[in-house]
Amino acid sequence: MESPRDSRTAEQIRKSRNRVLALSLAAFVVLVFFISIAKMS
C-alpha cells in the first residue's frame, strides 16, 4: 500500500501540473487577445 506521504506528493504533483496547464492556457488566451487587437488597429 502507498504511504500517506506518497499519495500527498502525487496530489501535489497533480495540482502543480494543473496550475501550469491553466497558466499556459491563460497566457495563450491573452496572446490571442493582444494579436487580435493589434490586427484591428
Side-chain angles (χ1 to χ4, degrees), residues 25-39:
L25 186 62
F28 178 72
V29 169
V30 169
L31 188 68
V32 169
F33 177 71
F34 281 121
I35 288 175
S36 60
I37 286 185
K39 281 182 180 283

Side-chain angles (χ1 to χ4, degrees), residues 2-17:
E2 287 185 38
S3 69
R5 191 165 43 128
D6 287 344
S7 61
R8 198 187 315 133
T9 304
E11 191 172 332
Q12 286 173 349
I13 291 170
R14 198 176 306 122
K15 281 183 181 178
S16 63
R17 190 182 299 137

